[in-house]
DNA sequence: CTGTTAGCGCATTCAT
DNA sequence: ATGAATGCGCTAACAG
C-alpha cells in the first residue's frame, strides 16, 4: 500500500543543509545545545516547507516512552467515567500527553487491554472498571512489569500500584436504615445489569448492603423487586413504571445509578404517585441533576461533586517518578445525602 | 529513571535457543512460515516465562502503522459522541485496533490534535467536532499527508477525505414552521454555548434556520429569548425555568440539544405549565429518552436512532485500502419528528 | 526449516 | 557549533 512517504528528519536536514542531529536539536528546542538563530531558522523553515512532523513511533522507541496514558473504563456514557475522562484529559494535556481509551466489558476485552498495556502502548494507566473482568493478579502483573498504574477499586490491595477507593457500604447502610426506619417495607432495588447477574455469586457492595439491611430489619427478600435496568435512563423508566403499576408496588426504590433514580422519579410522577409519600427514591452516585428534580433526589455518593483530579495527579506523579513508589491508597468514603425524595 | 527493563525478542530468542526472527514469526503466528510445533512451543514457553510482549513502538516503526485510530470529538459526555465512540470502538476491536481519543474544544487543542495526527499517532481518524476550531485547510492538509480521514461535517467538501453529513436546515425549518403555523409567537432558542457566542458571526445551521423562520413568519427577533444552556441538563433546566418565570414567557422552546429539551419539559411541568398547551418544546437530536417523557418529545434529528457504524466502516475501508480513494460524501438528512410536545 | 542482516525514524553520544 | 555513528526493538528480505 503505497501511502505517500512522510518527510523524515533526513529530508529536513538535506533541505536545510545541516545534519539530522541539528534537526533533532532544533525540533526539540533543546537549550543545552547552543544553536545560532540562523541555523535554527534554516531548519524550522525547511521543516515548515516540508510540513515535517517527527514520527511518533520512532520517537517513542528511542525515548522509551510513548507520552500517552491509557484510560480503561467499563463502558461509554456513564457520568462518573465521563468526569474521570475529563480530569485525565485535562491533566494529560498539561503534560503534553495523549489519552487512549480502552473499553473493557468482557473478559476477552480485559485480556486484550492487558496485552496492550504490556506492549507499552502507554506510559501509565488508570484502571476504572470495578467489575471482575480484570483480576487482581492481572493488575499486580502489570505493575510488576513496571507500568505506572492507578486502580479505582474498593477491593484491590495496592501492590506496586496506587488504589483509589470510594467505600459505599456505610452510606448504603445508612440509606437503607433511613428507608426502613421511616416505615418502608417494600424497597425495590434497581440494579445494573452485571450487578444483577452476579447478585448471588459476587454481590456488589450496594447489593450486599441491601441484603444486610433486609436481614437487619427483618424484611424478607423478594427477588421480584430486584430488577436490572439502572444502566440507562429509558430502561430504568420502563422497569420502574412496571414496578409501580403492580398491585403490590414497592414503597421505595433504591437505584444503583443516579440516572436510574431520576428515571424512577419521573416514572413515579407520571404514575400520579407522590415522591416520597407514596414511594421514596434513593440513587447511587453524584449527578448534579439530583438537585433539580422535584423533589430533589436523595443519594448515596461521594461527599462532594465527582472529582478525579486526584487520580490523574497520582498517575502522573507515578509516571514522572520513574521509580515505582510503594503503592498508596486514598479513600473517599461515600455518605448518605438525604434530600427531598426520602 | 531506571524502570525495569522489559524483555525483548532477543531475550526470548536466547532463552528458547532460537533466533529473533523465529521469535517474531512465532509471536505473529505467521502461517507463511512453516514452523514445527516443537520450536513454536519452545518459543511460546520462553515468552510466557519472561512474560514477553512485543514492544508496540518498535513494531509500529517497523510496520509503518500504529494499529490505532484516532477519534476527535468536541467534548465528553454528549450522547451522540458517545454513540460514535461506541461504534468506532466496536469496529476497531474487530480489526485489532486501539482507539485514542482527543478532545478539541479550543483552537489550541485543535492545533495540538493536528500535530499529533501529523506525527502519525494513528493510522486514521474520525473528526467529529463541527465547530470551527478545525478549519477545512487543516483537514485537507492532513489528508494530503496521506492520513485516512472521515469528517463529520455539513460544510466541508470532500478532498482526499470522506465526509458524512447530517443536514439540519430543512428539518429545523419544518419544526419552526410547525410552531409558528400553530400560532406560537414567542419561540425561545436554547443554544449551545459556542453556538451562542458565534450567533452573529457564524450562526449554526439551527440558529440560521431559526432566524430565517422568524423572518418568514414576520416575527421580530428578540435576543432576550435566545439563551445558552443546552450543553448540560442542569443549566438547561435553570435557564428554561427562568424564561418561564418571566411575565412575557415564551410559548415555545427550541432546544439545540435533546438533553436541553428534556430539561425544558421538566422545567415547564415543575412550573405548572402544560406542554404543549402553555409551552411547546422541540429538541435537536435523537435521544431515546424522547419517547419516555410526558408528553413525548418532538424532535428534529436523524431518521433513525443514532448510528455511526457507517462512519467506522468508511474509516477502516480507507485505512485498509491504502490508496487514497476519491473523497466520498454520505448524507443522512434530519427530519422533523412531531410528537407530543408540540 | 531457520538464522543473519538491514533498516524503520529518531535521539544521543562522541568526535571534530 | 556541528556531524558521523550507534542503537532503541522489531519485522521482513534474503541466505543458507
Amino acid at each position: 500500500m503505497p501511502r505517500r512517504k512522510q518527510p523524515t528528519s533526513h529530508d529536513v536536514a538535506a533541505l536545510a543543509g545541516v545534519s539530522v542531529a541539528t534537526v533533532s536539536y532544533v525540533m526539540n528546542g533543546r537549550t543545552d545545545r547552543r544553536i545560532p538563530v540562523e541555523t535554527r531558522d534554516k531548519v524550522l523553515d525547511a521543516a515548515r516547507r516540508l510540513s515535517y512532523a517527527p514520527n511518533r513511533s520512532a520517537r517513542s522507541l528511542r525515548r522509551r516512552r510513548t507520552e500517552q496514558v491509557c484510560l480503561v473504563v467499563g463502558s461509554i456514557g456513564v457520568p462518573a467515567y465521563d468526569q474521570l475522562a475529563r480530569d485525565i484529559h485535562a491533566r494529560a494535556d498539561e503534560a503534553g500527553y495523549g489519552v487512549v481509551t480502552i473499553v473493557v466489558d468482557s473478559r476477552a476485552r480485559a485480556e486484550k487491554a492487558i496485552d496492550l498495556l504490556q506492549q507499552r502502548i502507554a506510559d501509565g494507566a488508570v484502571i476504572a472498571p470495578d467489575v471482575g473482568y480484570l483480576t487482581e493478579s492481572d493488575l499486580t502483573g502489570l505493575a510488576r512489569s513496571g507500568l505506572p498504574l492507578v486502580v479505582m477499586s474498593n477491593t484491590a490491595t495496592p501492590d506496586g500500584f496506587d488504589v483509589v477507593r470510594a467505600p459505599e457500604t456505610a452510606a448504603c447502610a445508612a440509606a437503607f436504615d433511613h428507608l426502613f426506619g421511616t416505615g418502608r417495607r417494600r424497597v425495590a432495588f434497581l440494579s445494573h445489569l452485571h450487578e444483577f447477574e452476579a447478585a448471588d455469586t459476587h454481590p456488589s457492595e450496594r447489593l450486599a448492603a441491601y441484603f444486610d439491611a433486609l436481614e437487619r430489619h427483618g424484611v424478607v427478600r423478594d427477588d421480584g423487586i430486584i430488577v436490572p435496568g439502572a444502566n440507562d435512563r429509558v430502561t430504568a423508566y420502563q422497569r420502574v413504571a412496571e414496578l409501580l403499576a403492580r398491585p403490590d408496588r414497592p414503597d421505595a426504590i433504591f437505584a444503583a445509578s443516579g440516572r436510574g433514580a431520576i428515571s424512577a422519579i419521573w416514572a413515579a410522577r407520571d404514575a400520579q404517585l407522590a415522591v416520597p409519600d407514596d414511594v421514596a427514591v434513593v440513587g447511587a452516585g453524584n449527578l448534579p441533576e439530583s438537585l433539580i428534580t422535584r423533589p430533589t433526589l436523595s443519594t448515596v455518593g461521594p461527599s462532594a461533586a465527582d472529582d478525579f483530579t486526584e487520580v490523574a495527579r497520582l498517575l502522573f506523579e507515578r509516571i514522572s517518578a520513574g521509580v515505582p513508589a510503594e503503592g498508596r491508597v486514598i479513600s473517599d468514603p461515600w455518605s448518605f445525602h438525604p434530600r427531598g425524595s426520602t
Side-chain angles (χ1 to χ4, degrees), chain A:
Chain A
M1 26 176 123
R3 187 143 309 150
R4 171 211 284 258
K5 194 185 174 306
Q6 293 278 111
T8 74
S9 55
H10 270 90
D11 302 329
V12 178
L15 183 55
V18 298
S19 79
V20 290
T22 306
V23 173
S24 173
Y25 282 115
V26 170
M27 293 308 291
N28 292 325
R30 298 191 44 158
T31 51
D32 54 340
R33 190 104 174 195
R34 292 208 357 84
I35 292 189
V37 208
E38 188 173 312
T39 345
R40 209 185 71 98
D41 285 349
K42 262 194 314 191
V43 171
L44 288 178
D45 189 57
R48 206 175 24 68
R49 285 184 15 209
L50 297 175
S51 55
Y52 163 75
N55 180 288
R56 224 24 203 211
S57 303
R59 168 186 293 216
S60 298
L61 177 58
R62 178 63 233 235
R63 286 212 170 145
R64 323 180 103 217
R65 85 187 110 108
T66 60
E67 306 202 323
Q68 297 201 56
V69 292
C70 181
L71 172 60
V72 181
V73 296
S75 67
I76 289 175
V78 172
Y81 286 149
D82 283 350
Q83 189 54 47
L84 173 61
R86 274 188 283 264
D87 290 340
I88 302 278
H89 268 94
R91 194 75 172 69
D93 252 40
E94 288 174 20
Y97 267 62
V99 178
V100 13
T101 308
I102 301 185
V103 180
V104 166
D105 53 9
S106 70
R107 178 59 197 170
R109 294 206 170 158
E111 276 162 9
K112 187 72 192 302
I114 293 162
D115 202 40
L116 289 170
L117 289 173
Q118 216 76 273
Q119 296 178 39
R120 289 302 181 265
I121 199 189
D123 299 340
V126 171
I127 314 278
D130 203 5
V131 278
Y133 303 126
L134 283 155
T135 72
E136 195 140 356
S137 82
D138 290 335
L139 301 177
T140 45
L142 276 177
R144 291 208 128 66
S145 81
L147 186 75
L149 221 56
V150 179
V151 176
M152 306 188 58
S153 163
N154 287 339
T155 55
T157 351
D159 179 10
F161 53 84
D162 297 324
V163 172
V164 177
R165 301 221 150 100
E168 309 170 0
T169 303
C172 292
F176 288 121
D177 284 349
H178 177 88
L179 291 175
F180 290 116
T182 51
R184 312 285 173 176
R185 275 300 166 271
R186 283 183 66 68
V187 178
F189 192 105
L190 181 68
S191 73
H192 285 110
L193 188 52
H194 61 80
E195 196 175 24
F196 181 79
E197 287 164 348
D200 290 311
T201 53
H202 315 289
S204 71
E205 221 172 320
R206 300 151 205 202
L207 208 37
Y210 174 67
F211 295 147
D212 262 21
L214 289 177
E215 282 205 21
R216 204 161 53 244
H217 293 272
V219 176
V220 57
R221 164 175 165 182
D222 173 5
D223 282 350
I225 56 175
I226 303 176
V227 298
N231 294 74
D232 75 280
R233 293 175 188 257
V234 172
T235 313
Y237 181 92
Q238 291 164 338
R239 292 295 154 276
V240 173
E242 287 161 16
L243 278 176
L244 295 179
R246 288 161 45 161
D248 57 345
R249 64 172 159 76
D251 52 17
I253 294 170
F254 180 98
S257 74
R259 288 159 298 151
I262 285 170
S263 280
I265 289 186
W266 298 1
R269 286 180 55 178
D270 288 345
Q272 318 290 349
L273 294 172
V275 179
D277 290 351
D278 296 323
V279 55
V281 178
V282 176
N286 206 339
L287 286 194
E289 270 174 274
S290 304
L291 300 175
I292 58 160
T293 51
R294 294 266 176 106
T296 55
L297 177 65
S298 299
T299 60
V300 287
S303 45
D306 278 339
D307 174 10
F308 301 99
T309 52
E310 192 60 16
V311 177
R313 211 183 52 69
L314 281 177
L315 176 64
F316 279 91
E317 202 168 292
R318 231 168 217 286
I319 288 176
S320 53
V323 42
E326 252 333 77
R328 285 187 292 177
V329 37
I330 67 180
S331 182
D332 181 16
W334 279 17
S335 29
F336 175 44
H337 305 282
R339 286 190 276 259
S341 66
T342 51

